[in-house]
Amino acid sequence: MSLSPAQLDRIAYRRRQTLLSVLVAALSTLVLGVLLVVAVTGAPGWDRVRESFLDPQVARDSLPDVLRGLWLNIRLLFFCAVGALALGLAVALLRTLRGPVFFPVRLLATGYTYTFRGLPLIIVLYVMTLGLPGLRLQGMPSTLVLGGIALVVTYSGYLAEVFRAGIESVHPSQLAAARSLGLTYRQTMRFVVLPQAVRRVAPPLLNDTVALQKDVGLVSLAGPIDAVRAAQIHTAETFNYTPYIVAGVLFVLLAAPLIAVTDWVTLRAARRQS
Amino acid sequence: MSLLACRGVRKLFGDHVVLDGLDFDVAEHEVVALIGASGSGKSTLLRCVNLLEELDDGTIHLDGEHITDPRADPDKVRQRIGIVFQAYNLFPHMTVLENVVLAPVRVHGMPRQAARDLALEWLGRVGLAEKAGAYPDRLSGGQQQRVAIVRALVNSPRLLLLDEVTSALDPELVGEVLSMIRDLKSDGVTMVLATHEMGFARQVADRVCFLDGGRVLEQGPPEKVFAEPVEARTRQFLGRIIEAGRL
Ligand SMILES: Nc1ncnc2c1ncn2[C@@H]1O[C@H](COP(=O)(O)OP(=O)(O)O)[C@@H](O)[C@H]1O
Ligand SMILES: [Mg+2]
């Protein structure tokens, strides 16, 4: 079937419009880029800044140590993210339990989220990594593990609230439908409520994981050398800030895939809503 | 002995008395239509029978077993009663087939393959076999409601409760759901249906119960209740329904 002249005209017009917008976008990006480069490189202090922040030799020298530190960040991020998600979910589920038997459990879970959302991470870190070993108990884990635990308890406090918001966003009629089929409370949670809840709060959960990625480096306050700490050591030796730039670029590269996934999930969630 | 026996059922929300010493019986293979003004407690009664609400007084027996005994296991009781809601309440994250097999597999311990076969057979009977892999939001209201009924039926409940299952549907979709219920009646399924479809109640119900003031004010065969209601309140209610063109 052939299209009417009116439709052909519409298609041709839209195609011209698309081409035009692409051209305009490219041109404005180019102009802005040139302006930025001129402004920065033309600044009176540019040469000194370039020397102390963008020295290629220093970058090359510091890269192996910074990478080694980054590997620590990655491992910590993985274990802490898994731990915090699991613990957060557990605390959220405990908070939703009904009935007088569970009152102490509920109270404990509620106290947990209040405490660890209120307490600055640095304080938890110091108490865990410096305070606990002071007890000189048998089998005390390494500073690194203790630091990881501090991150897990702090972040699970936030994640528990995200999970709880998700659980509460599932309409009561879904629970009624599940229970009326004879599913137990646990089965209802597992098969009906949680799948819907987690889907709904996936974007904020991933967002908190991105934030965690930046915070895992704080364990270096207790000794272990992460990427930022490695950069700091190099800077102290050379009086040049380039290692920080190296670490910063690596962090962004590391975060990019996670952020991209978050955006994609958010977009998909928004689409499903409509 | 009746399949379902409600005696002196009382239900309050705050200090608002919704059911006030209600007696209600359903025999096996019987189809009972609950009618009554909006807010007269039809949904509340069905939810009480399914133990989704707790009674404030009275007893409910199913197959002679006291199900409102606090020592009875409500999960076990609900396994024997199916309920279908006005808003379908399908699980949106599961396909049609997954919605239907969930309870047979998880609650009744049926092998997955057997449950699938049974579900597909039921879906085929109601003309929805090709929708088995679709998610509920891809279905029309009438199709969703038929899936919801199938989801309740695959568990072979002793009693099926239908709460205004056509009220949320566009008029042209009501017919397909009603004809499905008519088929269930000829299969001998025991049903209690709260409904505003008086014409349908007249066709399919063995007995009509008019709920008013928290009790069954009047009941009987549909031709009798609709043609020569005894109570003034029933006449009033039916008069309003006729005025609205629904009888
Ligand atoms: N969960 C509830 N909380 C408070 N009041 C309720 C609740 N459910 C129902 N009601 C009240 O109980 C009365 C009966 O409601 P319902 O059983 O839904 O009536 P029907 O289904 O006959 O229209 C209404 O006045 C309604 O407002
Ligand atoms: Mg109702």
Side-chain angles (χ1 to χ4, degrees):
Chain A
M1 204 183 73
S2 69
L3 296 168
S4 71
Q7 180 63 17
L8 288 172
D9 179 53
R10 261 197 299 268
I11 291 171
Y13 177 77
R14 283 198 201 116
R15 200 170 290 151
R16 275 198 305 278
Q17 287 297 312
T18 310
L19 191 66
L20 201 64
S21 357
V22 170
L23 281 177
V24 169
L27 195 69
S28 66
T29 309
L30 189 70
V31 168
L32 192 67
V34 167
L35 278 179
L36 261 176
V37 168
V38 168
V40 171
T41 60
W46 166 242
D47 285 334
R48 287 202 44 201
V49 168
R50 190 178 54 187
E51 265 167 41
S52 52
F53 280 88
L54 297 171
D55 186 324
Q57 188 54 48
V58 175
R60 261 195 299 279
D61 289 347
S62 65
L63 186 61
D65 282 340
V66 174
L67 272 178
R68 204 166 304 128
L70 192 73
W71 177 230
L72 180 80
N73 289 77
I74 294 172
R75 279 177 299 162
L76 258 180
L77 171 67
F78 176 78
F79 288 108
C80 292
V82 171
L85 284 168
L87 190 59
L89 180 59
V91 171
L93 283 173
L94 293 180
R95 278 196 79 176
T96 63
L97 289 179
R98 293 284 158 258
V101 192
F102 297 114
F103 177 76
V105 181
R106 241 175 4 242
L107 191 72
L108 220 63
T110 309
Y112 183 92
T113 59
Y114 271 74
T115 308
F116 287 108
R117 276 187 303 162
L119 209 54
L121 172 58
I122 307 245
I123 294 175
V124 183
L125 254 171
Y126 280 142
V127 170
M128 281 288 190
T129 55
L130 306 178
L132 274 189
L135 296 174
R136 301 195 192 178
L137 291 173
Q138 284 282 306
M140 184 60 71
S142 69
T143 308
L144 190 58
V145 173
L146 287 171
I149 293 174
L151 285 159
V152 166
V153 291
T154 302
Y155 268 80
S156 58
Y158 289 100
L159 295 179
E161 288 306 284
V162 176
F163 277 119
R164 194 168 70 102
I167 290 169
E168 280 170 6
S169 78
V170 177
H171 198 268
S173 64
Q174 288 283 307
L175 269 88
R179 298 308 296 274
S180 74
L181 288 169
L183 270 74
T184 62
Y185 180 81
R186 282 181 54 173
Q187 288 176 321
T188 301
M189 273 290 159
R190 180 168 154 214
F191 298 118
V192 175
V193 176
L194 280 181
Q196 295 186 58
V198 169
R199 240 163 268 213
R200 227 167 276 179
V201 295
L205 286 178
L206 283 165
N207 246 333
D208 280 347
T209 313
V210 175
L212 174 63
Q213 168 155 326
K214 289 182 287 189
D215 275 354
V216 289
L218 288 177
V219 292
S220 62
L221 290 175
I225 296 170
D226 84 313
V228 176
R229 180 84 180 98
Q232 190 187 22
I233 293 169
H234 269 271
T235 298
E237 284 166 0
T238 59
F239 302 106
N240 186 298
Y241 292 100
T242 307
Y244 279 125
I245 300 294
V246 172
V249 169
L250 289 175
F251 262 94
V252 172
L253 289 180
L254 182 60
L258 201 52
I259 293 173
V261 169
T262 310
D263 280 354
W264 179 73
V265 170
T266 310
L267 201 70
R268 222 184 43 152
R271 254 198 225 127
R272 271 203 79 98
Q273 291 293 317
S274 63
Chain B
M1 188 186 64
S2 33
L3 177 66
L4 178 76
C6 304
R7 289 287 169 275
V9 168
R10 228 174 115 74
K11 178 67 192 173
L12 291 76
F13 288 113
D15 50 12
H16 175 40
V17 183
V18 178
L19 301 178
D20 190 10
L22 169 139
D23 295 332
F24 179 60
D25 283 90
V26 181
E28 188 148 22
H29 305 306
E30 195 181 18
V31 176
V32 180
L34 283 178
I35 61 169
S38 183
S40 59
K42 303 181 294 293
S43 301
T44 304
L45 175 58
L46 296 183
R47 291 173 65 87
C48 286
V49 169
N50 203 30
L51 306 184
L52 290 170
E53 302 283 354
E54 269 182 29
L55 299 192
D56 291 300
D57 203 352
T59 59
I60 301 178
H61 285 76
L62 179 74
D63 275 326
E65 184 196 334
H66 183 194
I67 61 172
T68 43
D69 185 327
R71 285 163 292 256
D73 180 355
D75 293 327
K76 287 271 181 297
V77 172
R78 292 196 196 98
Q79 291 173 17
R80 291 186 280 148
I81 304 177
I83 186 165
V84 180
F85 304 94
Q86 179 177 339
Y88 338 129
N89 299 357
L90 294 178
F91 306 128
H93 61 297
M94 297 181 185
T95 63
V96 165
L97 187 64
E98 287 165 349
N99 263 278
V100 177
V101 300
L102 178 66
V105 171
R106 299 292 172 184
V107 178
H108 300 272
M110 191 183 280
R112 192 165 282 280
Q113 190 57 47
R116 272 180 62 100
D117 293 345
L118 180 67
L120 287 172
E121 184 193 321
W122 265 107
L123 290 171
R125 273 187 60 180
V126 301
L128 289 171
E130 78 280 16
K131 298 287 183 192
Y135 284 89
D137 62 356
R138 296 278 151 231
L139 270 55
S140 75
Q143 291 171 332
Q144 289 190 52
Q145 192 57 290
R146 282 183 286 153
V147 172
I149 297 175
V150 165
R151 183 174 70 176
L153 280 171
V154 283
N155 303 303
S156 322
R158 293 282 289 142
L159 175 65
L160 183 63
L161 310 172
L162 302 165
D163 191 1
E164 302 206 17
V165 290
T166 57
S167 297
L169 299 179
D170 291 332
E172 80 267 24
L173 301 178
V174 169
E176 60 191 56
V177 173
L178 294 187
S179 88
M180 179 176 173
I181 296 171
R182 211 173 279 127
D183 291 345
L184 296 180
K185 178 186 161 72
S186 40
D187 289 352
V189 178
T190 311
M191 285 184 276
V192 177
L193 43 115
T195 186
H196 277 138
E197 302 279 342
M198 299 303 155
F200 180 67
R202 173 144 51 184
Q203 285 173 36
V204 81
D206 300 308
R207 180 158 51 98
V208 173
C209 293
F210 175 62
L211 237 64
D212 190 77
R215 292 159 179 265
V216 177
L217 185 66
E218 177 164 4
Q219 57 180 320
E223 55 279 7
K224 184 147 180 309
V225 174
F226 286 127
E228 39 198 83
V230 178
E231 301 286 339
R233 299 276 302 168
T234 318
R235 276 200 295 278
Q236 218 174 30
F237 171 72
L238 291 172
R240 278 203 306 273
I241 296 280
I242 290 166
E243 229 171 84
R246 303 195 68 158
L247 186 67

